[in-house]
Amino acid sequence: MSETQMPAGQLSGNVLFYSKPEPLAKELHSKIGVKRMDGPFKFAKVGHAIPLTVGEFPLAAVTGPIIFVGDEKLPIAVMGLNAGENMFVKDDGTFESGIYIPAYVRRYPFVFANDEQNNQMVLCIDRNAEFIVDKGYDMAFFEANGEPTEYTKNCIEFCNNFEVERQRTVSFVQILKDLDLFETKEATFTPANPDGTQGETQKIAEYFGVSEEKLNALPAAKFVELRDNGALGQIYAHMHSLVGWDRMIALALTKAAAQQPQAANA
Protein backbone atom coordinates (compact mmCIF):
# COMPACT_ATOMS: atom_id res chain seq x y z
CA MET A 1 0.00 0.00 0.00
CA SER A 2 1.33 3.41 -0.91
CA GLU A 3 1.18 6.14 1.71
CA THR A 4 2.11 8.88 -0.74
CA GLN A 5 0.33 12.08 0.22
CA MET A 6 -0.75 14.67 -2.30
CA PRO A 7 -3.56 17.16 -2.80
CA ALA A 8 -6.76 15.56 -4.01
CA GLY A 9 -6.66 17.85 -7.03
CA GLN A 10 -3.74 15.87 -8.41
CA LEU A 11 -5.81 12.70 -8.64
CA SER A 12 -6.84 12.23 -12.24
CA GLY A 13 -10.22 11.18 -13.58
CA ASN A 14 -13.81 11.34 -12.41
CA VAL A 15 -14.93 8.05 -10.92
CA LEU A 16 -18.55 6.98 -10.48
CA PHE A 17 -19.70 7.18 -6.82
CA TYR A 18 -16.49 8.81 -5.53
CA SER A 19 -17.05 12.50 -4.77
CA LYS A 20 -14.13 13.19 -2.40
CA PRO A 21 -11.27 10.72 -2.90
CA GLU A 22 -8.36 11.05 -0.50
CA PRO A 23 -5.12 9.03 -0.53
CA LEU A 24 -5.33 6.64 2.42
CA ALA A 25 -2.66 7.64 4.94
CA LYS A 26 -2.20 7.07 8.66
CA GLU A 27 -1.48 10.78 9.14
CA LEU A 28 -4.95 11.64 7.81
CA HIS A 29 -7.10 8.65 8.65
CA SER A 30 -5.81 7.05 11.87
CA LYS A 31 -8.79 8.27 13.89
CA ILE A 32 -11.63 7.39 11.55
CA GLY A 33 -13.18 4.13 10.40
CA VAL A 34 -16.14 2.35 8.87
CA LYS A 35 -19.51 1.87 10.55
CA ARG A 36 -21.44 -1.30 9.74
CA MET A 37 -24.79 -0.57 8.10
CA ASP A 38 -27.70 -2.87 7.29
CA GLY A 39 -28.11 -1.02 3.99
CA PRO A 40 -24.67 0.16 2.84
CA PHE A 41 -25.44 0.61 -0.86
CA LYS A 42 -27.44 3.84 -0.94
CA PHE A 43 -24.61 5.42 -2.92
CA ALA A 44 -25.28 2.95 -5.74
CA LYS A 45 -28.85 4.18 -6.33
CA VAL A 46 -27.48 6.60 -8.93
CA GLY A 47 -25.59 3.84 -10.78
CA HIS A 48 -27.77 2.80 -13.70
CA ALA A 49 -24.65 1.70 -15.63
CA ILE A 50 -21.86 0.15 -13.55
CA PRO A 51 -18.43 -0.92 -14.83
CA LEU A 52 -17.92 -4.66 -14.95
CA THR A 53 -14.88 -6.91 -15.22
CA VAL A 54 -14.88 -9.78 -17.67
CA GLY A 55 -14.74 -12.46 -14.98
CA GLU A 56 -18.09 -11.21 -13.67
CA PHE A 57 -19.94 -11.69 -16.96
CA PRO A 58 -21.53 -15.10 -16.19
CA LEU A 59 -22.91 -13.93 -12.83
CA ALA A 60 -23.95 -10.46 -13.99
CA ALA A 61 -25.72 -11.86 -17.06
CA VAL A 62 -28.47 -13.23 -14.82
CA THR A 63 -29.34 -9.72 -13.58
CA GLY A 64 -29.46 -7.75 -16.82
CA PRO A 65 -27.73 -6.66 -20.03
CA ILE A 66 -23.96 -6.48 -20.27
CA ILE A 67 -23.05 -3.91 -22.90
CA PHE A 68 -19.97 -2.05 -24.14
CA VAL A 69 -19.83 1.75 -24.26
CA GLY A 70 -17.57 4.56 -25.43
CA ASP A 71 -14.45 4.53 -27.57
CA GLU A 72 -12.79 2.18 -25.10
CA LYS A 73 -15.75 -0.26 -25.32
CA LEU A 74 -15.96 -0.35 -21.51
CA PRO A 75 -18.15 -3.26 -20.38
CA ILE A 76 -20.93 -2.23 -18.03
CA ALA A 77 -23.80 -3.86 -16.22
CA VAL A 78 -27.08 -2.12 -17.05
CA MET A 79 -29.00 -1.67 -13.80
CA GLY A 80 -31.52 0.96 -14.83
CA LEU A 81 -33.23 2.43 -17.88
CA ASN A 82 -33.03 6.05 -16.75
CA ALA A 83 -29.81 7.94 -16.08
CA GLY A 84 -29.00 8.11 -12.37
CA GLU A 85 -31.56 5.49 -11.36
CA ASN A 86 -30.55 1.97 -10.29
CA MET A 87 -33.69 -0.17 -10.42
CA PHE A 88 -32.27 -2.80 -8.09
CA VAL A 89 -31.20 -0.71 -5.08
CA LYS A 90 -33.98 -0.25 -2.55
CA ASP A 91 -34.55 2.90 -0.51
CA ASP A 92 -33.05 1.23 2.56
CA GLY A 93 -29.70 0.84 0.81
CA THR A 94 -29.94 -2.88 0.06
CA PHE A 95 -30.08 -4.63 -3.31
CA GLU A 96 -33.12 -6.56 -4.41
CA SER A 97 -32.87 -10.26 -3.61
CA GLY A 98 -31.04 -12.34 -6.20
CA ILE A 99 -29.33 -9.38 -7.90
CA TYR A 100 -25.63 -9.66 -8.64
CA ILE A 101 -23.68 -6.83 -6.98
CA PRO A 102 -20.72 -5.82 -9.18
CA ALA A 103 -17.25 -5.82 -7.64
CA TYR A 104 -17.03 -2.14 -8.56
CA VAL A 105 -19.78 -1.50 -6.00
CA ARG A 106 -18.43 -3.91 -3.40
CA ARG A 107 -14.98 -2.29 -3.30
CA TYR A 108 -16.43 1.11 -2.29
CA PRO A 109 -15.24 3.30 -0.50
CA PHE A 110 -11.78 2.19 -1.66
CA VAL A 111 -10.41 2.95 -5.12
CA PHE A 112 -7.08 3.23 -6.88
CA ALA A 113 -6.38 6.62 -8.44
CA ASN A 114 -3.66 7.81 -10.81
CA ASP A 115 -0.90 9.98 -9.38
CA GLU A 116 0.27 11.33 -12.73
CA GLN A 117 3.03 13.43 -11.20
CA ASN A 118 4.72 10.38 -9.66
CA ASN A 119 3.45 7.90 -12.28
CA GLN A 120 1.90 5.48 -9.80
CA MET A 121 -1.40 4.22 -8.48
CA VAL A 122 -2.48 5.45 -5.05
CA LEU A 123 -5.08 3.78 -2.84
CA CYS A 124 -7.81 6.22 -1.86
CA ILE A 125 -11.03 6.29 0.12
CA ASP A 126 -14.09 8.38 -0.57
CA ARG A 127 -14.16 10.65 2.46
CA ASN A 128 -17.80 11.47 1.70
CA ALA A 129 -18.90 7.84 2.08
CA GLU A 130 -21.91 7.65 4.39
CA PHE A 131 -20.39 4.92 6.54
CA ILE A 132 -16.97 6.53 7.11
CA VAL A 133 -17.21 8.20 10.51
CA ASP A 134 -14.87 9.66 13.12
CA LYS A 135 -16.63 8.12 16.11
CA GLY A 136 -18.66 5.00 16.78
CA TYR A 137 -17.03 3.07 13.95
CA ASP A 138 -16.75 -0.71 13.92
CA MET A 139 -13.63 -1.10 11.78
CA ALA A 140 -10.66 1.25 11.95
CA PHE A 141 -8.35 1.85 9.01
CA PHE A 142 -5.17 1.80 11.09
CA GLU A 143 -3.92 0.20 14.30
CA ALA A 144 -2.62 2.33 17.16
CA ASN A 145 0.94 1.68 15.93
CA GLY A 146 0.08 3.07 12.48
CA GLU A 147 -0.09 -0.27 10.68
CA PRO A 148 -3.14 -1.05 8.50
CA THR A 149 -5.81 -3.08 10.29
CA GLU A 150 -6.85 -6.52 9.08
CA TYR A 151 -9.95 -4.87 7.59
CA THR A 152 -7.82 -2.45 5.58
CA LYS A 153 -5.46 -5.22 4.45
CA ASN A 154 -8.43 -7.24 3.17
CA CYS A 155 -9.76 -4.19 1.33
CA ILE A 156 -6.34 -3.55 -0.22
CA GLU A 157 -6.22 -7.16 -1.42
CA PHE A 158 -9.71 -6.81 -2.91
CA CYS A 159 -8.68 -3.63 -4.75
CA ASN A 160 -5.49 -5.26 -6.00
CA ASN A 161 -7.49 -8.22 -7.31
CA PHE A 162 -9.97 -5.81 -8.90
CA GLU A 163 -7.12 -4.02 -10.67
CA VAL A 164 -5.81 -7.34 -12.02
CA GLU A 165 -9.30 -8.16 -13.31
CA ARG A 166 -9.62 -4.68 -14.80
CA GLN A 167 -6.41 -5.19 -16.76
CA ARG A 168 -7.64 -8.61 -17.88
CA THR A 169 -10.83 -6.93 -19.06
CA VAL A 170 -8.85 -4.40 -21.11
CA SER A 171 -7.06 -7.32 -22.79
CA PHE A 172 -10.37 -9.08 -23.46
CA VAL A 173 -11.86 -5.98 -25.07
CA GLN A 174 -8.73 -5.56 -27.19
CA ILE A 175 -9.18 -9.10 -28.52
CA LEU A 176 -12.72 -8.22 -29.62
CA LYS A 177 -11.48 -5.01 -31.24
CA ASP A 178 -8.67 -6.78 -33.06
CA LEU A 179 -11.13 -9.31 -34.47
CA ASP A 180 -13.58 -6.53 -35.40
CA LEU A 181 -16.41 -8.27 -33.54
CA PHE A 182 -18.20 -5.15 -32.29
CA GLU A 183 -21.28 -3.64 -33.89
CA THR A 184 -23.69 -0.91 -32.85
CA LYS A 185 -26.87 -2.26 -31.30
CA GLU A 186 -30.12 -0.72 -30.07
CA ALA A 187 -32.51 -1.64 -27.30
CA THR A 188 -36.08 -0.72 -28.21
CA PHE A 189 -39.54 -0.87 -26.69
CA THR A 190 -42.90 -0.88 -28.46
CA PRO A 191 -45.68 0.18 -26.07
CA ALA A 192 -49.27 -0.93 -26.39
CA ASN A 193 -51.93 1.73 -26.98
CA PRO A 194 -55.12 1.80 -24.86
CA ASP A 195 -57.06 0.42 -27.84
CA GLY A 196 -54.81 -2.62 -28.04
CA THR A 197 -52.78 -1.50 -31.05
CA GLN A 198 -49.04 -1.09 -30.97
CA GLY A 199 -47.61 2.34 -30.34
CA GLU A 200 -44.54 3.91 -31.83
CA THR A 201 -41.28 2.06 -31.16
CA GLN A 202 -39.01 3.88 -28.71
CA LYS A 203 -35.22 3.60 -28.55
CA ILE A 204 -34.06 2.94 -25.01
CA ALA A 205 -30.33 2.64 -25.56
CA GLU A 206 -27.64 2.52 -28.21
CA TYR A 207 -24.49 0.61 -27.40
CA PHE A 208 -21.77 -1.70 -28.69
CA GLY A 209 -22.17 -5.45 -28.61
CA VAL A 210 -20.62 -8.52 -30.19
CA SER A 211 -22.01 -9.31 -33.62
CA GLU A 212 -23.19 -12.90 -33.83
CA GLU A 213 -22.75 -12.77 -37.59
CA LYS A 214 -19.13 -11.62 -37.31
CA LEU A 215 -18.44 -14.18 -34.60
CA ASN A 216 -19.79 -17.03 -36.72
CA ALA A 217 -17.77 -15.85 -39.69
CA LEU A 218 -14.44 -16.12 -37.89
CA PRO A 219 -11.93 -18.62 -39.25
CA ALA A 220 -12.07 -21.92 -37.38
CA ALA A 221 -8.59 -21.38 -35.91
CA LYS A 222 -9.60 -18.00 -34.41
CA PHE A 223 -12.78 -19.52 -32.99
CA VAL A 224 -10.78 -22.29 -31.32
CA GLU A 225 -8.35 -19.68 -30.00
CA LEU A 226 -11.21 -17.77 -28.36
CA ARG A 227 -12.45 -21.03 -26.86
CA ASP A 228 -9.07 -22.00 -25.49
CA ASN A 229 -8.23 -18.60 -23.95
CA GLY A 230 -11.62 -18.41 -22.22
CA ALA A 231 -12.91 -15.45 -24.20
CA LEU A 232 -15.63 -17.39 -25.99
CA GLY A 233 -17.53 -18.21 -22.81
CA GLN A 234 -17.49 -14.55 -21.78
CA ILE A 235 -18.69 -13.51 -25.24
CA TYR A 236 -21.64 -15.88 -24.98
CA ALA A 237 -22.42 -14.60 -21.48
CA HIS A 238 -22.60 -11.08 -22.91
CA MET A 239 -24.77 -12.14 -25.82
CA HIS A 240 -27.17 -14.13 -23.63
CA SER A 241 -27.43 -11.23 -21.19
CA LEU A 242 -29.05 -9.02 -23.83
CA VAL A 243 -32.39 -10.80 -23.38
CA GLY A 244 -32.39 -8.97 -20.05
CA TRP A 245 -33.56 -5.79 -21.80
CA ASP A 246 -37.08 -7.26 -21.93
CA ARG A 247 -36.97 -8.12 -18.25
CA MET A 248 -35.82 -4.63 -17.30
CA ILE A 249 -38.51 -3.01 -19.43
CA ALA A 250 -41.18 -5.21 -17.83
CA LEU A 251 -39.86 -4.36 -14.38
CA ALA A 252 -39.86 -0.63 -15.16
CA LEU A 253 -43.46 -0.80 -16.38
CA THR A 254 -44.51 -2.72 -13.27
CA LYS A 255 -42.88 -0.16 -10.99
CA ALA A 256 -44.41 2.74 -12.92
CA ALA A 257 -47.87 1.17 -12.67
CA ALA A 258 -47.43 0.65 -8.92
CA GLN A 259 -46.47 4.30 -8.45
CA GLN A 260 -49.45 5.70 -10.36
CA PRO A 261 -52.02 5.11 -7.58
CA GLN A 262 -49.62 6.73 -5.13
CA ALA A 263 -49.28 9.78 -7.39
CA ALA A 264 -53.03 9.98 -7.75
CA ASN A 265 -53.53 9.92 -3.98
CA ALA A 266 -50.80 12.44 -3.30
Side-chain angles (χ1 to χ4, degrees):
M1 181 189 69
S2 171
E3 292 186 358
T4 303
Q5 294 187 51
M6 58 185 175
Q10 292 181 358
L11 301 180
S12 66
N14 295 317
V15 186
L16 177 66
F17 302 144
Y18 298 81
S19 60
K20 190 181 179 183
E22 293 180 353
L24 183 64
K26 59 187 177 184
E27 292 81 5
L28 296 174
H29 306 122
S30 61
K31 296 182 180 180
I32 64 174
V34 171
K35 176 179 64 175
R36 288 193 180 92
M37 299 181 65
D38 293 333
F41 299 117
K42 289 181 181 178
F43 67 90
K45 281 185 69 67
V46 298
H48 72 291
I50 297 178
L52 206 62
T53 61
V54 66
E56 299 179 276
F57 280 22
L59 292 171
V62 178
T63 293
I66 299 168
I67 65 175
F68 299 84
V69 299
D71 293 337
E72 296 181 356
K73 308 296 192 296
L74 176 71
I76 64 169
V78 178
M79 308 200 85
L81 300 182
N82 298 314
E85 182 182 341
N86 190 319
M87 296 169 60
F88 302 118
V89 179
K90 297 186 286 188
D91 291 338
D92 63 1
T94 61
F95 271 82
E96 298 281 357
S97 178
I99 297 301
Y100 177 72
I101 304 175
Y104 185 97
V105 173
R106 287 181 278 122
R107 74 171 177 172
Y108 186 84
F110 290 87
V111 65
F112 277 121
N114 289 325
D115 174 6
E116 294 181 343
Q117 182 176 345
N118 296 308
N119 193 30
Q120 66 179 354
M121 300 292 284
V122 178
L123 186 70
C124 299
I125 57 172
D126 183 4
R127 193 62 184 86
N128 281 345
E130 178 185 15
F131 40 75
I132 292 181
V133 295
D134 56 10
K135 59 179 66 175
Y137 49 82
D138 300 294
M139 292 145 324
F141 292 122
F142 294 96
E143 304 282 6
N145 62 4
E147 291 297 311
T149 61
E150 194 65 26
Y151 165 75
T152 300
K153 290 177 181 177
N154 290 337
C155 291
I156 292 172
E157 182 180 7
F158 188 95
C159 287
N160 283 330
N161 291 338
F162 182 89
E163 183 61 20
V164 170
E165 285 299 302
R166 191 187 69 80
Q167 294 294 343
R168 195 163 74 92
T169 303
V170 171
S171 298
F172 168 76
V173 170
Q174 190 60 51
I175 290 173
L176 303 187
K177 288 181 178 179
D178 291 343
L179 294 174
D180 190 29
L181 292 181
F182 284 115
E183 67 177 0
T184 302
K185 294 178 178 285
E186 289 185 354
T188 60
F189 166 60
T190 304
N193 292 323
D195 61 3
T197 61
Q198 289 189 336
E200 185 175 348
T201 298
Q202 303 172 11
K203 183 169 73 173
I204 296 174
E206 184 174 288
Y207 59 93
F208 295 107
V210 172
S211 164
E212 185 174 2
E213 181 180 353
K214 290 182 177 181
L215 181 65
N216 291 336
L218 284 177
K222 284 294 182 183
F223 200 84
V224 171
E225 185 179 325
L226 289 176
R227 182 198 67 189
D228 292 347
N229 65 21
L232 189 59
Q234 311 294 16
I235 290 171
Y236 282 140
H238 148 67
M239 295 172 72
H240 293 158
S241 78
L242 299 181
V243 302
W245 283 115
D246 291 338
R247 174 173 174 257
M248 296 198 73
I249 291 169
L251 180 60
L253 292 174
T254 300
K255 288 190 173 185
Q259 291 172 356
Q260 283 181 355
Q262 298 176 13
N265 295 330

